[in-house]
Amino acid sequence: MRRGPRGPHLTRRGFLGALATAAGTTVLPGCGALGLDTPPGQTGEALLSARPLPAPYRVPLPRPHTARPTGTVTLPDGTAADLYEITQRAADVEILPGVRTTIWGYDGTLPGPTLETRTGRPVVVRHRNELLVPTVTHLHGGHTPADSDGWPLDLLLPVGGGPPGHHGMPGDLAVGTRDHHYPMTQRAATLWYHDHRMDFTGPAVYRGLLGLHLVRDPEEDALPLPRGDREIPLVLCDRSFDADGQFAYPSLDRSLRRVPGVEAGWTEGVLGDVVLVNGAPWPVAEVDAVRHRLRILNGANARRFALAFQVAGGPDLPVTQIGSDGGLLAAPVERPTVELAPGERCDVVVDLGRVPVDTEVTVVNLLGTGSTRDVLRFRVVRATRDDSAVPAVLSEIEPLVPGPVRREFVFRRGAVADHAGWTINDRSFDPDVPLADVPLGATETWRFRTDVHHPVHLHLDPVQVLARGGRGPGPSDAGWKDTVDLRPGEIVDVAVRFTDHAGRFVLHCHNLEHEDMAMMATIRTVANGA
Ligand code: C2O
Ligand code: CU
Ligand code: CU
């Protein structure tokens, strides 16, 4: 059964009490009988909106706006960096037609502004926190020094200060603003940034703290790929709404300060019933009948996607994958569907010139049911010239050559303190005790094992998938990966090589409810000879 959000005044004690006395009858607003509601292909539980949902494909696909540098700063080593300034603040926006929803957004938008930076040109992103709680900003996929990476305890306290919250062992505290230095010593890729505060990442990202960061480089510029209007970022996520049109999220502690985690019904992950693309519910885009490049991010807390491009009365359109988390693949790969676990990115080219003008191409999630099967629609409106092409060779990828399995990480359910949670090697997140000390420059093989779905994400450097379930890499493992989709009971081996930056980083599950309920580990990279 699906469940609706609880009323705003029910405490956790009240909630558990209600469950105990109700014994399966309906006592909570919008609530059905007890029991798991895990759709196939998902780890998570559906949360039903308490409002009627709008019909799909009525609102235009928005494009996140692009951030512009506000100046230049000189780094300690004398080099110049472009400065970007982003304010984290609440804003009232119209997501469902006719209702205002209060979001937390970078510059007050969902998704936040897209940064477009260039390989080899360092940037400083100055974040200002005008929210009511501390935040931590992480650049996902960034090759970033530890002090700018968004260590989950490097809190940025709101302007004007305020208590850090329950965190017993804060890292580097800042008040009001914090500068993140990104050297951009990495190839072109689709990165994203999002909140990463220990124990409260799920609710903060759900409220809107996520955005894209595209890195561009001359190698990619030289390819005849679709560009300009024909390069479309698609940030996918899912949300549920309460009766007032606010985001419903079953936090144990609505203040997001003290008690981490979600109510017992959603510890597997929160699945919303409204699919947002670039912040709009099931939008539609009018496009020319030409190739388009789609940079797709799964920015959902827990929902997995398997996207198919359906054409009424005809076969599905195939998609050509050209890149993954860490940038271009060596060569394009034709795929019938695009699978994305939370945190993963897929860069594809779809030839909308293969269907006649006036055709609708509907992108559906084969892992969705009911309202979550719909995602977005393209309406092909004009025939026009297409100068783009997908070359047979895109890039060169150095294969990592590792030795035998060096470390194993087991991702599974387990007790965290005295309550149910998620663990890595039977341990809950301990910022002070690394699960591994890894020498910089060494190539190692790591083995991941799981119970249910866990999208495993590693900071600092991307990995290469060597084997999945005793076979070679699967279709979504191509290229450089920073997030690896592990399905129930799967064993995946990856080649890992950290470079340049010594310090503390994290390895964690990117199901944000799992992450907040302690499925994270400290990894320490160590300079050679140290
Ligand atoms: Cu996208 Cu450590 O996170
Ligand atoms: Cu990351
Ligand atoms: Cu997980």
Side-chain angles (χ1 to χ4, degrees), residues 453-454 509 511 514 519:
H453 291 95
H454 297 290
C509 179
N511 175 316
H514 297 188
M519 197 170 238

Side-chain angles (χ1 to χ4, degrees), residues 43 268 411 422 451-455 509-511 514-515 519:
T43 286
E268 301 249 323
F411 294 78
W422 299 94
D451 51 1
V452 294
H453 291 95
H454 297 290
C509 179
H510 222 288
N511 175 316
H514 297 188
E515 177 181 344
M519 197 170 238

Side-chain angles (χ1 to χ4, degrees), residues 71-83 120-124 181-183:
T72 329
V73 288
T74 307
L75 299 174
D77 68 359
T79 56
D82 291 325
L83 174 68
R121 189 165 173 90
V123 302
V124 168
H181 169 213
Y182 302 124

Side-chain angles (χ1 to χ4, degrees), residues 260 414-423 426-429 517-518:
V416 173
D418 58 339
H419 50 86
W422 299 94
T423 61
D426 296 321
R427 292 161 64 173
S428 52
F429 180 47
M517 288 181 287

Side-chain angles (χ1 to χ4, degrees), residues 372-509:
T372 62
R373 197 174 162 86
D374 290 299
V375 179
L376 84 150
R377 177 171 285 170
F378 292 102
R379 194 168 291 138
V380 179
V381 291
R382 261 178 310 271
T384 172
R385 241 171 88 87
D386 190 354
D387 294 327
S388 73
V390 179
V393 175
L394 296 167
S395 184
E396 212 175 304
I397 292 190
E398 173 206 356
L400 294 181
V401 186
V405 175
R406 172 88 174 77
R407 306 173 200 274
E408 185 170 88
F409 297 93
V410 182
F411 294 78
R412 66 173 166 222
R413 204 183 306 270
V416 173
D418 58 339
H419 50 86
W422 299 94
T423 61
I424 303 177
N425 292 354
D426 296 321
R427 292 161 64 173
S428 52
F429 180 47
D430 185 338
D432 297 324
V433 181
L435 269 200
D437 279 308
V438 187
L440 289 174
T443 304
E444 298 190 343
T445 302
W446 293 10
R447 174 164 290 173
F448 301 141
R449 294 167 174 274
T450 54
D451 51 1
V452 294
H453 291 95
H454 297 290
V456 174
H457 171 53
L458 188 55
H459 288 210
L460 185 59
D461 277 293
V463 304
Q464 289 176 5
V465 177
L466 302 169
R468 177 181 283 275
R471 302 166 196 252
S476 57
D477 295 328
W480 288 102
K481 294 289 297 173
D482 57 50
T483 308
V484 180
D485 181 19
L486 271 89
R487 290 165 301 195
E490 233 173 11
I491 299 177
V492 172
D493 291 347
V494 299
V496 177
R497 182 184 59 195
F498 293 113
T499 54
D500 302 325
H501 305 302
R504 285 189 304 189
F505 295 91
V506 286
L507 163 73
H508 62 89
C509 179

Side-chain angles (χ1 to χ4, degrees), residues 212-244:
L212 287 171
H213 181 141
L214 310 180
V215 186
R216 300 190 185 273
D217 69 10
E219 180 191 43
E220 195 186 273
D221 291 347
L223 300 176
L225 297 170
R227 60 184 78 235
D229 282 355
R230 299 173 183 180
E231 180 190 329
I232 305 180
L234 299 173
V235 178
L236 309 183
C237 58
D238 58 335
R239 297 290 183 266
S240 291
F241 294 83
D242 69 13
D244 300 324

Side-chain angles (χ1 to χ4, degrees), residues 60-105:
L61 174 73
R63 297 248 185 174
H65 67 99
T66 302
R68 303 273 165 230
T70 54
T72 329
V73 288
T74 307
L75 299 174
D77 68 359
T79 56
D82 291 325
L83 174 68
Y84 291 84
E85 293 177 273
I86 293 179
T87 299
Q88 306 172 4
R89 59 180 176 85
D92 286 342
V93 300
E94 184 173 322
I95 298 171
L96 299 179
V99 221
R100 312 294 293 178
T101 302
T102 302
I103 63 156
W104 289 356

